[in-house]
Amino acid sequence: MDTALFNLEEILDNYTFKGEYCGYSVLNNGHINNTYMINFATDEGEKSYILQQINTAVFKDPDVLMKNYIGVTDFVRSKVAENGGDPKREAVKVYCTNSGNSYFIDKEGRYWRIINYITDTVSYNFPDNAEICRSAGKAFGKFQQILADYPIDRLYETIPNFHNTVSRYADFEAALSADKIGRASSVEKEIDFVKSRKADCAVLLGLLEKGELPLRVTHNDTKLNNILFDKDSGEGICIIDLDTVMPGLSLYDFGDSLRFAGNTADEDEKDLSKVSFNTDIYRSYTEGYLSTAIDSLNDAEIYYLPFSVKLMTLECGIRFLTDYLNGDVYFRIAHPEHNLDRCRTQFALVEDIEKKYDELMALTEKICSQLRSE
Ligand code: GN1
Ligand code: MG
């Protein structure tokens, strides 16, 4: 994706801001959209907004994307107000253009939107302590509860089959047989790793088909850095990055969170000896998550919590490997082997989760019985 900066004049033509523009900073910690903070000096001090370039190679229908986005953010905002929270700080708000649209297209054909910047918050790429993880678990559990009665038929699939692990496996097989840029022979070990876990990819979808797992409104990209924490209280107050809110399984959100937060290393760590799954983080996150979500989950949604962490980690590794085989066309990369590094990290993490599986099952059971006896 092109990373050329925004054209300020076009933005000022499309939106009316109070005060004088006084600068921007780049906030790109995601792999998909380009994100900036733009600042204005006003009589009441500096006011900032979040400017995002929507990646239309990934989100192919921006109209549908923004309909979802506005539907969900309006819904969250009104729920927050109903529950006595602060809608200005606990919900994302889309600013419309002067002509009332939720995004605009610049002269180069790039799509842009502007959302609120929430002051006095912090976000983390790495969980510095257990408390952060407990708050993160609580925040995603609460988010799931808030959206529990969002009309699911009003949601479009912004990326079809996003967490469909069977179709992710099929995409991998297609990339492998096409072997577009001749990389397959150099990643045989990784290919075998995926092939030997093919059966795992069908487990949750099988349970969904049998009606044992319910379809819910889920976030689908529950990385730690998609939570804004209040700088003083440490509470996770606002969930961001809502482009992939779609019908899904609660387990996708739980698993993806711990895939990211439970890793003792960075997502693209090259030194695999640093990669392991932190069971203390699992415990804290799960305690937080279940403290807000336990009553709304069925037995299968609880039983498969550890499995979901393994599966979402495997899925993410498969996606990185598939993109590597396809010639790096999806995720933003910083160097040629970046997707391969990310894939290897995910697979090392899968192996460690497999080793610790019984421990994770026991921990989950213990947390549930503690919560149920309270
Ligand atoms: C992407 O943009 P970001 O970093 O929040 C991706 C997720 C992956 C994640 C891996 C729309 O999320 O699905 O889990 O990278 N988002 C999309 O870090 O594909
Ligand atoms: Mg993100």
Side-chain angles (χ1 to χ4, degrees), residues 136-137 139-145 147 162-163 204 216-224 226-227 239-242 244-261 285 289 293 297 301 304-305 308-309 311-313 315:
F140 277 125
K142 194 169 155 201
F143 185 77
Q144 187 179 303
Q145 263 190 333
L147 288 180
F162 192 58
H163 282 311
L204 297 186
R216 299 186 184 275
V217 177
T218 48
H219 181 281
N220 297 305
D221 186 8
T222 47
K223 293 207 297 204
L224 187 64
N226 284 334
I227 306 174
I239 303 294
I240 57 169
D241 210 352
L242 304 165
T244 50
V245 174
M246 285 183 276
L249 300 182
S250 59
L251 289 164
Y252 296 155
D253 281 359
F254 179 86
D256 195 44
S257 264
L258 280 155
R259 167 191 80 78
F260 189 79
Y285 186 93
Y289 175 71
L297 300 174
E301 285 175 298
Y304 285 92
L305 290 173
S308 74
V309 184
L311 183 67
M312 297 316 290
T313 310
E315 182 204 80

Short mmCIF file of all heavy atoms in Angstrom, two decimals, residues 136-137 139-145 147 162-163 204 216-224 226-227 239-242 244-261 285 289 293 297 301 304-305 308-309 311-313 315:
data_model
loop_
_atom_site.label_atom_id
_atom_site.label_comp_id
_atom_site.label_asym_id
_atom_site.label_seq_id
_atom_site.Cartn_x
_atom_site.Cartn_y
_atom_site.Cartn_z
N ALA A 136 -7.47 -5.68 29.91
CA ALA A 136 -7.72 -5.96 28.48
C ALA A 136 -8.82 -7.02 28.35
O ALA A 136 -9.76 -6.87 27.56
CB ALA A 136 -6.44 -6.44 27.81
N GLY A 137 -8.72 -8.07 29.15
CA GLY A 137 -9.73 -9.14 29.12
C GLY A 137 -11.11 -8.58 29.46
O GLY A 137 -12.10 -8.88 28.80
N ALA A 139 -12.10 -5.52 29.15
CA ALA A 139 -12.56 -4.59 28.10
C ALA A 139 -13.15 -5.34 26.92
O ALA A 139 -14.21 -4.97 26.40
CB ALA A 139 -11.41 -3.70 27.65
N PHE A 140 -12.51 -6.43 26.50
CA PHE A 140 -13.06 -7.18 25.36
C PHE A 140 -14.32 -7.96 25.77
O PHE A 140 -15.24 -8.11 24.98
CB PHE A 140 -12.01 -8.09 24.73
CG PHE A 140 -11.12 -7.36 23.75
CD1 PHE A 140 -9.74 -7.38 23.88
CD2 PHE A 140 -11.67 -6.65 22.68
CE1 PHE A 140 -8.92 -6.71 22.97
CE2 PHE A 140 -10.86 -5.97 21.77
CZ PHE A 140 -9.49 -6.00 21.92
N GLY A 141 -14.35 -8.44 27.02
CA GLY A 141 -15.56 -9.11 27.51
C GLY A 141 -16.74 -8.14 27.52
O GLY A 141 -17.85 -8.47 27.10
N LYS A 142 -16.46 -6.92 27.96
CA LYS A 142 -17.51 -5.90 28.03
C LYS A 142 -17.97 -5.50 26.61
O LYS A 142 -19.15 -5.33 26.36
CB LYS A 142 -16.94 -4.68 28.77
CG LYS A 142 -17.99 -3.69 29.20
CD LYS A 142 -17.36 -2.67 30.14
CE LYS A 142 -18.14 -1.37 30.10
NZ LYS A 142 -17.38 -0.23 30.56
N PHE A 143 -17.01 -5.40 25.72
CA PHE A 143 -17.32 -5.03 24.33
C PHE A 143 -18.27 -6.08 23.73
O PHE A 143 -19.27 -5.75 23.08
CB PHE A 143 -16.01 -4.97 23.53
CG PHE A 143 -16.18 -4.48 22.11
CD1 PHE A 143 -16.36 -3.13 21.84
CD2 PHE A 143 -16.15 -5.38 21.05
CE1 PHE A 143 -16.50 -2.68 20.53
CE2 PHE A 143 -16.30 -4.93 19.73
CZ PHE A 143 -16.47 -3.58 19.48
N GLN A 144 -17.96 -7.34 24.00
CA GLN A 144 -18.81 -8.43 23.50
C GLN A 144 -20.22 -8.31 24.07
O GLN A 144 -21.20 -8.49 23.36
CB GLN A 144 -18.16 -9.74 23.93
CG GLN A 144 -18.82 -10.97 23.34
CD GLN A 144 -18.08 -12.22 23.81
OE1 GLN A 144 -16.87 -12.36 23.59
NE2 GLN A 144 -18.77 -13.11 24.45
N GLN A 145 -20.29 -7.96 25.36
CA GLN A 145 -21.61 -7.82 26.00
C GLN A 145 -22.39 -6.65 25.41
O GLN A 145 -23.58 -6.76 25.15
CB GLN A 145 -21.41 -7.53 27.48
CG GLN A 145 -21.51 -8.75 28.33
CD GLN A 145 -21.56 -8.36 29.79
OE1 GLN A 145 -21.04 -7.30 30.18
NE2 GLN A 145 -22.17 -9.21 30.59
N LEU A 147 -22.22 -5.46 22.50
CA LEU A 147 -22.70 -5.75 21.14
C LEU A 147 -23.61 -6.97 21.06
O LEU A 147 -24.09 -7.31 19.97
CB LEU A 147 -21.51 -5.92 20.19
CG LEU A 147 -20.75 -4.64 19.85
CD1 LEU A 147 -19.60 -4.94 18.91
CD2 LEU A 147 -21.66 -3.58 19.21
N PHE A 162 -13.25 -14.09 7.04
CA PHE A 162 -12.06 -13.54 7.70
C PHE A 162 -11.39 -14.55 8.63
O PHE A 162 -10.19 -14.77 8.54
CB PHE A 162 -12.45 -12.26 8.46
CG PHE A 162 -11.27 -11.47 8.92
CD1 PHE A 162 -10.34 -11.00 8.02
CD2 PHE A 162 -11.08 -11.19 10.27
CE1 PHE A 162 -9.24 -10.26 8.43
CE2 PHE A 162 -9.99 -10.45 10.70
CZ PHE A 162 -9.07 -9.99 9.78
N HIS A 163 -12.18 -15.12 9.55
CA HIS A 163 -11.59 -16.12 10.45
C HIS A 163 -12.06 -17.53 10.10
O HIS A 163 -12.09 -18.41 10.96
CB HIS A 163 -11.92 -15.81 11.91
CG HIS A 163 -11.09 -14.71 12.48
ND1 HIS A 163 -9.71 -14.67 12.37
CD2 HIS A 163 -11.43 -13.59 13.15
CE1 HIS A 163 -9.25 -13.59 12.97
NE2 HIS A 163 -10.28 -12.91 13.44
N LEU A 204 -13.54 -25.62 15.15
CA LEU A 204 -14.56 -24.66 15.62
C LEU A 204 -15.69 -24.52 14.60
O LEU A 204 -16.87 -24.39 14.98
CB LEU A 204 -13.93 -23.30 15.93
CG LEU A 204 -12.89 -23.28 17.07
CD1 LEU A 204 -12.46 -21.85 17.39
CD2 LEU A 204 -13.41 -23.97 18.34
N ARG A 216 -21.96 -14.76 16.97
CA ARG A 216 -22.15 -13.52 17.73
C ARG A 216 -21.59 -12.36 16.94
O ARG A 216 -20.96 -12.56 15.91
CB ARG A 216 -21.40 -13.60 19.06
CG ARG A 216 -21.87 -14.72 19.98
CD ARG A 216 -21.16 -14.60 21.32
NE ARG A 216 -21.50 -15.70 22.21
CZ ARG A 216 -22.56 -15.74 23.01
NH1 ARG A 216 -23.41 -14.72 23.01
NH2 ARG A 216 -22.78 -16.76 23.80
N VAL A 217 -21.79 -11.15 17.48
CA VAL A 217 -21.13 -9.99 16.88
C VAL A 217 -19.75 -9.90 17.53
O VAL A 217 -19.64 -9.75 18.74
CB VAL A 217 -21.93 -8.70 17.14
CG1 VAL A 217 -21.20 -7.50 16.58
CG2 VAL A 217 -23.32 -8.83 16.53
N THR A 218 -18.72 -10.02 16.71
CA THR A 218 -17.37 -10.05 17.27
C THR A 218 -16.47 -8.99 16.62
O THR A 218 -16.77 -8.49 15.53
CB THR A 218 -16.75 -11.46 17.09
OG1 THR A 218 -16.96 -11.89 15.75
CG2 THR A 218 -17.39 -12.46 18.04
N HIS A 219 -15.38 -8.69 17.28
CA HIS A 219 -14.48 -7.64 16.82
C HIS A 219 -13.53 -8.16 15.74
O HIS A 219 -13.27 -7.50 14.75
CB HIS A 219 -13.69 -7.12 18.04
CG HIS A 219 -12.75 -6.02 17.73
ND1 HIS A 219 -11.51 -6.24 17.16
CD2 HIS A 219 -12.83 -4.67 17.90
CE1 HIS A 219 -10.89 -5.08 17.01
NE2 HIS A 219 -11.67 -4.11 17.45
N ASN A 220 -13.00 -9.34 15.98
CA ASN A 220 -12.17 -10.07 15.02
C ASN A 220 -10.73 -9.59 14.85
O ASN A 220 -9.99 -10.13 14.01
CB ASN A 220 -12.86 -10.14 13.64
CG ASN A 220 -14.15 -10.93 13.73
OD1 ASN A 220 -14.13 -12.07 14.19
ND2 ASN A 220 -15.27 -10.34 13.36
N ASP A 221 -10.33 -8.57 15.59
CA ASP A 221 -8.94 -8.12 15.52
C ASP A 221 -8.55 -7.60 16.90
O ASP A 221 -8.26 -6.41 17.08
CB ASP A 221 -8.79 -7.04 14.45
CG ASP A 221 -7.35 -6.64 14.21
OD1 ASP A 221 -6.44 -7.29 14.77
OD2 ASP A 221 -7.12 -5.66 13.49
N THR A 222 -8.54 -8.51 17.87
CA THR A 222 -8.47 -8.10 19.27
C THR A 222 -7.04 -7.99 19.81
O THR A 222 -6.75 -8.44 20.92
CB THR A 222 -9.29 -9.08 20.13
OG1 THR A 222 -8.92 -10.42 19.73
CG2 THR A 222 -10.77 -8.92 19.92
N LYS A 223 -6.18 -7.38 19.03
CA LYS A 223 -4.82 -7.18 19.52
C LYS A 223 -4.85 -6.18 20.67
O LYS A 223 -5.71 -5.29 20.72
CB LYS A 223 -3.94 -6.61 18.40
CG LYS A 223 -3.74 -7.60 17.28
CD LYS A 223 -2.46 -7.40 16.50
CE LYS A 223 -2.32 -6.11 15.76
NZ LYS A 223 -1.38 -6.22 14.64
N LEU A 224 -3.88 -6.33 21.55
CA LEU A 224 -3.79 -5.45 22.72
C LEU A 224 -3.79 -3.97 22.30
O LEU A 224 -4.38 -3.12 22.97
CB LEU A 224 -2.51 -5.79 23.48
CG LEU A 224 -2.27 -5.13 24.82
CD1 LEU A 224 -3.35 -5.54 25.82
CD2 LEU A 224 -0.90 -5.50 25.36
N ASN A 226 -5.38 -2.53 20.19
CA ASN A 226 -6.69 -2.02 19.78
C ASN A 226 -7.56 -1.65 20.98
O ASN A 226 -8.77 -1.49 20.86
CB ASN A 226 -7.41 -3.04 18.88
CG ASN A 226 -6.80 -3.02 17.48
OD1 ASN A 226 -6.25 -2.01 17.05
ND2 ASN A 226 -6.90 -4.13 16.76
N ILE A 227 -6.93 -1.53 22.14
CA ILE A 227 -7.64 -1.06 23.34
C ILE A 227 -6.98 0.24 23.79
O ILE A 227 -5.75 0.32 23.88
CB ILE A 227 -7.51 -2.05 24.52
CG1 ILE A 227 -7.94 -3.44 24.11
CG2 ILE A 227 -8.30 -1.57 25.74
CD1 ILE A 227 -7.69 -4.49 25.19
N ILE A 239 -12.56 0.42 22.79
CA ILE A 239 -12.06 -0.54 21.80
C ILE A 239 -12.05 0.17 20.44
O ILE A 239 -13.07 0.77 20.04
CB ILE A 239 -12.98 -1.78 21.71
CG1 ILE A 239 -13.11 -2.46 23.09
CG2 ILE A 239 -12.49 -2.76 20.66
CD1 ILE A 239 -11.87 -3.09 23.64
N ILE A 240 -10.91 0.08 19.76
CA ILE A 240 -10.80 0.76 18.46
C ILE A 240 -10.59 -0.27 17.34
O ILE A 240 -10.66 -1.46 17.58
CB ILE A 240 -9.65 1.81 18.49
CG1 ILE A 240 -8.32 1.13 18.87
CG2 ILE A 240 -9.98 2.93 19.46
CD1 ILE A 240 -7.10 2.02 18.67
N ASP A 241 -10.31 0.23 16.14
CA ASP A 241 -10.03 -0.62 14.98
C ASP A 241 -11.23 -1.53 14.68
O ASP A 241 -11.14 -2.76 14.73
CB ASP A 241 -8.78 -1.47 15.26
CG ASP A 241 -8.02 -1.80 13.98
OD1 ASP A 241 -8.56 -1.50 12.90
OD2 ASP A 241 -6.92 -2.38 14.06
N LEU A 242 -12.35 -0.89 14.36
CA LEU A 242 -13.62 -1.61 14.28
C LEU A 242 -13.98 -2.05 12.86
O LEU A 242 -15.13 -2.38 12.58
CB LEU A 242 -14.73 -0.72 14.87
CG LEU A 242 -14.42 -0.27 16.31
CD1 LEU A 242 -15.29 0.88 16.73
CD2 LEU A 242 -14.56 -1.43 17.28
N THR A 244 -13.32 -4.69 11.28
CA THR A 244 -13.64 -6.12 11.08
C THR A 244 -14.73 -6.60 12.02
O THR A 244 -14.86 -7.82 12.23
CB THR A 244 -12.37 -6.99 11.25
OG1 THR A 244 -11.74 -6.63 12.48
CG2 THR A 244 -11.41 -6.81 10.10
N VAL A 245 -15.50 -5.69 12.60
CA VAL A 245 -16.64 -6.14 13.41
C VAL A 245 -17.61 -6.83 12.46
O VAL A 245 -18.07 -6.26 11.49
CB VAL A 245 -17.33 -4.98 14.15
CG1 VAL A 245 -18.59 -5.47 14.85
CG2 VAL A 245 -16.39 -4.35 15.18
N MET A 246 -17.84 -8.11 12.73
CA MET A 246 -18.65 -8.95 11.83
C MET A 246 -19.24 -10.07 12.65
O MET A 246 -18.83 -10.30 13.78
CB MET A 246 -17.74 -9.59 10.76
CG MET A 246 -17.27 -8.68 9.68
SD MET A 246 -16.29 -9.58 8.46
CE MET A 246 -14.65 -9.60 9.17
N PRO A 247 -20.17 -10.83 12.08
CA PRO A 247 -20.61 -12.03 12.77
C PRO A 247 -19.42 -12.99 12.89
O PRO A 247 -18.66 -13.17 11.94
CB PRO A 247 -21.67 -12.63 11.83
CG PRO A 247 -22.10 -11.49 10.97
CD PRO A 247 -20.91 -10.59 10.82
N GLY A 248 -19.24 -13.56 14.08
CA GLY A 248 -18.11 -14.47 14.28
C GLY A 248 -18.30 -15.27 15.55
O GLY A 248 -19.37 -15.28 16.15
N LEU A 249 -17.23 -15.93 15.98
CA LEU A 249 -17.28 -16.71 17.22
C LEU A 249 -16.59 -15.93 18.32
O LEU A 249 -15.54 -15.31 18.09
CB LEU A 249 -16.56 -18.04 17.02
CG LEU A 249 -17.10 -18.97 15.92
CD1 LEU A 249 -16.30 -20.27 15.88
CD2 LEU A 249 -18.58 -19.28 16.16
N SER A 250 -17.16 -16.00 19.53
CA SER A 250 -16.51 -15.33 20.67
C SER A 250 -15.07 -15.84 20.81
O SER A 250 -14.18 -15.10 21.21
CB SER A 250 -17.30 -15.59 21.95
OG SER A 250 -17.36 -17.00 22.19
N LEU A 251 -14.86 -17.11 20.45
CA LEU A 251 -13.53 -17.70 20.59
C LEU A 251 -12.50 -17.05 19.66
O LEU A 251 -11.30 -17.06 19.96
CB LEU A 251 -13.61 -19.21 20.32
CG LEU A 251 -14.32 -20.00 21.42
CD1 LEU A 251 -14.71 -21.39 20.93
CD2 LEU A 251 -13.43 -20.11 22.66
N TYR A 252 -12.95 -16.49 18.55
CA TYR A 252 -11.99 -15.80 17.68
C TYR A 252 -11.39 -14.61 18.43
O TYR A 252 -10.19 -14.36 18.36
CB TYR A 252 -12.67 -15.27 16.41
CG TYR A 252 -13.24 -16.32 15.48
CD1 TYR A 252 -14.29 -15.99 14.61
CD2 TYR A 252 -12.73 -17.61 15.44
CE1 TYR A 252 -14.81 -16.93 13.74
CE2 TYR A 252 -13.25 -18.55 14.56
CZ TYR A 252 -14.29 -18.21 13.72
OH TYR A 252 -14.81 -19.13 12.85
N ASP A 253 -12.24 -13.89 19.13
CA ASP A 253 -11.76 -12.69 19.82
C ASP A 253 -10.87 -13.05 21.00
O ASP A 253 -9.82 -12.44 21.21
CB ASP A 253 -12.95 -11.83 20.30
CG ASP A 253 -13.54 -11.02 19.16
OD1 ASP A 253 -13.02 -11.12 18.03
OD2 ASP A 253 -14.52 -10.28 19.38
N PHE A 254 -11.29 -14.04 21.75
CA PHE A 254 -10.48 -14.46 22.89
C PHE A 254 -9.12 -14.97 22.40
O PHE A 254 -8.06 -14.57 22.88
CB PHE A 254 -11.22 -15.55 23.67
CG PHE A 254 -10.46 -16.06 24.85
CD1 PHE A 254 -10.53 -15.40 26.07
CD2 PHE A 254 -9.65 -17.19 24.75
CE1 PHE A 254 -9.81 -15.86 27.17
CE2 PHE A 254 -8.92 -17.65 25.85
CZ PHE A 254 -9.01 -16.99 27.06
N GLY A 255 -9.15 -15.87 21.44
CA GLY A 255 -7.92 -16.50 20.95
C GLY A 255 -6.96 -15.49 20.35
O GLY A 255 -5.76 -15.54 20.60
N ASP A 256 -7.49 -14.56 19.58
CA ASP A 256 -6.62 -13.59 18.92
C ASP A 256 -5.95 -12.66 19.93
O ASP A 256 -4.80 -12.28 19.77
CB ASP A 256 -7.40 -12.80 17.87
CG ASP A 256 -6.46 -12.06 16.93
OD1 ASP A 256 -5.46 -12.65 16.48
OD2 ASP A 256 -6.71 -10.86 16.66
N SER A 257 -6.69 -12.31 20.98
CA SER A 257 -6.11 -11.45 22.02
C SER A 257 -4.90 -12.10 22.65
O SER A 257 -3.86 -11.48 22.83
CB SER A 257 -7.12 -11.28 23.16
OG SER A 257 -7.83 -10.13 23.00
N LEU A 258 -5.06 -13.39 23.00
CA LEU A 258 -3.96 -14.04 23.70
C LEU A 258 -2.85 -14.46 22.76
O LEU A 258 -1.69 -14.57 23.17
CB LEU A 258 -4.48 -15.20 24.55
CG LEU A 258 -5.03 -14.60 25.85
CD1 LEU A 258 -6.06 -15.48 26.48
CD2 LEU A 258 -3.90 -14.29 26.84
N ARG A 259 -3.15 -14.69 21.52
CA ARG A 259 -2.11 -14.90 20.51
C ARG A 259 -1.12 -13.74 20.59
O ARG A 259 0.10 -13.92 20.58
CB ARG A 259 -2.73 -14.93 19.11
CG ARG A 259 -1.72 -14.83 17.98
CD ARG A 259 -2.39 -14.59 16.64
NE ARG A 259 -2.76 -13.20 16.44
CZ ARG A 259 -1.95 -12.22 16.10
NH1 ARG A 259 -0.66 -12.48 15.94
NH2 ARG A 259 -2.36 -10.99 15.94
N PHE A 260 -1.64 -12.55 20.73
CA PHE A 260 -0.80 -11.36 20.70
C PHE A 260 -0.21 -11.05 22.09
O PHE A 260 1.00 -10.92 22.24
CB PHE A 260 -1.65 -10.18 20.19
CG PHE A 260 -0.85 -8.95 19.90
CD1 PHE A 260 -0.12 -8.84 18.73
CD2 PHE A 260 -0.82 -7.90 20.80
CE1 PHE A 260 0.62 -7.70 18.45
CE2 PHE A 260 -0.08 -6.75 20.53
CZ PHE A 260 0.64 -6.66 19.36
N ALA A 261 -1.11 -10.99 23.09
CA ALA A 261 -0.65 -10.57 24.42
C ALA A 261 0.13 -11.66 25.14
O ALA A 261 1.01 -11.37 25.95
CB ALA A 261 -1.85 -10.14 25.27
N TYR A 285 -5.57 -12.43 31.81
CA TYR A 285 -6.52 -12.04 30.76
C TYR A 285 -7.83 -12.81 30.93
O TYR A 285 -8.91 -12.25 30.85
CB TYR A 285 -5.91 -12.32 29.37
CG TYR A 285 -6.80 -11.80 28.26
CD1 TYR A 285 -6.62 -10.52 27.72
CD2 TYR A 285 -7.85 -12.58 27.75
CE1 TYR A 285 -7.46 -10.04 26.73
CE2 TYR A 285 -8.70 -12.10 26.76
CZ TYR A 285 -8.49 -10.83 26.25
OH TYR A 285 -9.33 -10.35 25.27
N TYR A 289 -11.50 -11.42 31.39
CA TYR A 289 -12.50 -11.69 30.34
C TYR A 289 -13.72 -12.39 30.93
O TYR A 289 -14.86 -11.98 30.73
CB TYR A 289 -11.85 -12.54 29.25
CG TYR A 289 -12.81 -13.00 28.17
CD1 TYR A 289 -13.33 -12.09 27.25
CD2 TYR A 289 -13.20 -14.34 28.07
CE1 TYR A 289 -14.22 -12.51 26.26
CE2 TYR A 289 -14.07 -14.76 27.08
CZ TYR A 289 -14.58 -13.84 26.18
OH TYR A 289 -15.46 -14.25 25.21
N ALA A 293 -17.69 -11.80 30.99
CA ALA A 293 -18.38 -12.53 29.92
C ALA A 293 -18.95 -13.89 30.34
O ALA A 293 -19.76 -14.46 29.60
CB ALA A 293 -17.42 -12.72 28.74
N LEU A 297 -21.65 -16.82 28.07
CA LEU A 297 -21.01 -17.85 27.23
C LEU A 297 -21.60 -19.23 27.51
O LEU A 297 -21.97 -19.53 28.65
CB LEU A 297 -19.50 -17.89 27.53
CG LEU A 297 -18.72 -16.60 27.27
CD1 LEU A 297 -17.28 -16.76 27.77
CD2 LEU A 297 -18.72 -16.25 25.78
N GLU A 301 -18.16 -22.64 24.48
CA GLU A 301 -17.37 -21.40 24.34
C GLU A 301 -16.32 -21.29 25.44
O GLU A 301 -15.31 -20.62 25.27
CB GLU A 301 -18.29 -20.17 24.35
CG GLU A 301 -19.06 -19.98 23.05
CD GLU A 301 -20.04 -18.82 23.15
OE1 GLU A 301 -20.96 -18.88 23.99
OE2 GLU A 301 -19.89 -17.86 22.38
N TYR A 304 -13.47 -24.47 24.90
CA TYR A 304 -12.51 -24.30 23.80
C TYR A 304 -11.63 -23.05 23.92
O TYR A 304 -10.93 -22.71 22.97
CB TYR A 304 -13.23 -24.34 22.44
CG TYR A 304 -13.65 -25.75 22.08
CD1 TYR A 304 -14.91 -26.24 22.42
CD2 TYR A 304 -12.76 -26.61 21.47
CE1 TYR A 304 -15.28 -27.55 22.12
CE2 TYR A 304 -13.11 -27.93 21.17
CZ TYR A 304 -14.36 -28.39 21.50
OH TYR A 304 -14.69 -29.69 21.22
N LEU A 305 -11.66 -22.37 25.06
CA LEU A 305 -10.83 -21.16 25.19
C LEU A 305 -9.35 -21.44 24.90
O LEU A 305 -8.75 -20.78 24.03
CB LEU A 305 -11.00 -20.52 26.58
CG LEU A 305 -12.37 -19.85 26.87
CD1 LEU A 305 -12.47 -19.42 28.32
CD2 LEU A 305 -12.64 -18.67 25.95
N SER A 308 -8.77 -22.09 21.27
CA SER A 308 -8.91 -20.91 20.39
C SER A 308 -7.59 -20.13 20.31
O SER A 308 -7.27 -19.55 19.28
CB SER A 308 -10.04 -20.00 20.87
OG SER A 308 -9.67 -19.28 22.03
N VAL A 309 -6.83 -20.14 21.39
CA VAL A 309 -5.55 -19.41 21.38
C VAL A 309 -4.60 -20.09 20.40
O VAL A 309 -3.93 -19.44 19.58
CB VAL A 309 -4.92 -19.34 22.79
CG1 VAL A 309 -3.65 -18.49 22.76
CG2 VAL A 309 -5.91 -18.80 23.81
N LEU A 311 -5.53 -22.03 17.89
CA LEU A 311 -6.05 -21.94 16.52
C LEU A 311 -5.82 -20.55 15.91
O LEU A 311 -5.43 -20.43 14.75
CB LEU A 311 -7.55 -22.27 16.50
CG LEU A 311 -8.17 -22.27 15.10
CD1 LEU A 311 -7.61 -23.41 14.26
CD2 LEU A 311 -9.69 -22.36 15.16
N MET A 312 -6.06 -19.49 16.70
CA MET A 312 -5.90 -18.15 16.13
C MET A 312 -4.43 -17.85 15.85
O MET A 312 -4.09 -17.11 14.93
CB MET A 312 -6.51 -17.09 17.06
CG MET A 312 -8.01 -17.23 17.25
SD MET A 312 -8.92 -17.57 15.74
CE MET A 312 -8.76 -16.03 14.90
N THR A 313 -3.55 -18.46 16.66
CA THR A 313 -2.11 -18.28 16.42
C THR A 313 -1.70 -19.02 15.15
O THR A 313 -0.97 -18.49 14.30
CB THR A 313 -1.30 -18.78 17.64
OG1 THR A 313 -1.84 -18.20 18.83
CG2 THR A 313 0.16 -18.42 17.53
N GLU A 315 -3.74 -19.77 12.69
CA GLU A 315 -4.36 -19.06 11.56
C GLU A 315 -3.51 -17.86 11.14
O GLU A 315 -3.25 -17.63 9.96
CB GLU A 315 -5.77 -18.59 11.92
CG GLU A 315 -6.45 -17.88 10.76
CD GLU A 315 -7.54 -16.91 11.20
OE1 GLU A 315 -7.22 -15.78 11.61
OE2 GLU A 315 -8.71 -17.28 11.13
#
